[in-house]
Amino acid sequence: MASATSSTVDSPRGGDGVHLPDTARDLVKILVTGPFGVGKTTLIGSVSEIRPLHTEEQLSEASAQVDDLAGVRDKSTTTVAIDFGRISLPGGIVLYLFGTPGQERFRSLWDDIAHGALGALVLVDARRIDASFDVLGLVEESGLPYAVAFNTFPDAPPHHTPEQLRAALDLEPTTPMVTCDAREANSSIDALLALVQHLIDRPAEYR
């Protein structure tokens, strides 16, 4: 893949929004994962140059018994299969983004969704760090290289240092860790670029 470059562009949704741009060279499948309510659907929707596919359903009284709503009380829907979007980056890199459900009961979908992916962007909520452990375990078990993005929420604790956050997640020193606002396209693209650059920088035998 070519080197990843800055995402600060006038229009991240280039082209006609349907067809691949003529400059496309590297087509890459990326997982966007994380626990329930962390902002995966929002991130994919903020960057996709095509109309994103969402498979969301209203939360029911039955699901409330198994989905932990602590910290996400305002959430009324949940992804039950995948989210899907596409973003063309500078350098001819096109990312196909597959958002995965964040609940344990959808674990059986993981292998199918992860098949063929080159890496994963793991979204984390600083208010609910422990909710990310299961997803991080799945990513690590799959052997996928990944980057971690702390999605910013208005009531997130401001006192955690990057070192404390990295230690709380037990991340390797080489694992990229960034913050992003999943509602903002350029912020979300910067998080994806951190993952892409991590994939590019890996030794050739691990690509």
Side-chain angles (χ1 to χ4, degrees):
M1 290 187 295
S3 295
T5 56
S6 173
S7 65
T8 306
V9 294
D10 292 335
S11 177
R13 297 176 176 82
D16 59 11
V18 177
H19 300 96
L20 280 173
D22 294 337
T23 56
R25 291 193 302 156
D26 296 306
L27 310 182
V28 182
K29 180 181 181 180
I30 295 294
L31 300 188
V32 178
T33 190
F36 172 69
V38 78
K40 302 178 293 292
T41 299
T42 300
L43 184 143
I44 290 174
S46 76
V47 303
S48 183
E49 65 195 12
I50 61 175
R51 182 177 179 179
L53 167 68
H54 299 308
T55 54
E56 290 197 311
E57 295 291 341
Q58 290 291 318
L59 287 169
S60 65
E61 290 185 8
S63 66
Q65 303 303 312
V66 293
D67 293 330
D68 184 3
L69 295 178
V72 288
R73 291 292 176 185
D74 293 335
K75 187 169 176 60
S76 61
T77 61
T78 183
T79 299
V80 295
I82 62 169
D83 295 309
F84 175 76
R86 190 188 77 202
I87 176 72
S88 299
L89 299 177
I93 300 172
V94 178
L95 304 184
Y96 289 94
L97 305 175
F98 288 77
T100 69
Q103 297 97 306
E104 177 65 21
R105 68 180 186 274
F106 295 116
R107 183 171 184 150
S108 60
L109 291 173
W110 176 265
D111 288 341
D112 290 336
I113 298 174
H115 181 71
L118 291 190
L121 180 67
V122 181
L123 288 180
V124 176
D125 183 346
R127 304 169 302 176
R128 304 179 293 128
I129 290 178
D130 57 348
S132 301
F133 295 156
D134 287 344
V135 175
L136 283 168
L138 276 176
V139 175
E140 290 175 351
E141 288 172 17
S142 72
L144 286 174
Y146 65 93
V148 168
F150 278 86
N151 189 16
T152 56
F153 291 89
D155 57 343
H159 56 279
H160 291 319
T161 67
E163 292 77 16
Q164 290 171 327
L165 294 172
R166 185 175 288 275
L169 293 174
D170 194 25
L171 298 180
E172 295 289 337
T174 56
T175 300
M177 189 186 77
V178 299
T179 60
C180 76
D181 185 337
R183 301 167 299 179
E184 299 292 334
N186 280 336
S187 180
S188 297
I189 293 172
D190 283 340
L192 290 166
L193 280 171
L195 171 62
V196 170
Q197 193 62 58
H198 181 50
L199 298 178
I200 292 169
D201 291 342
R202 299 180 83 220
E205 61 266 28
Y206 294 111
R207 295 180 193 170

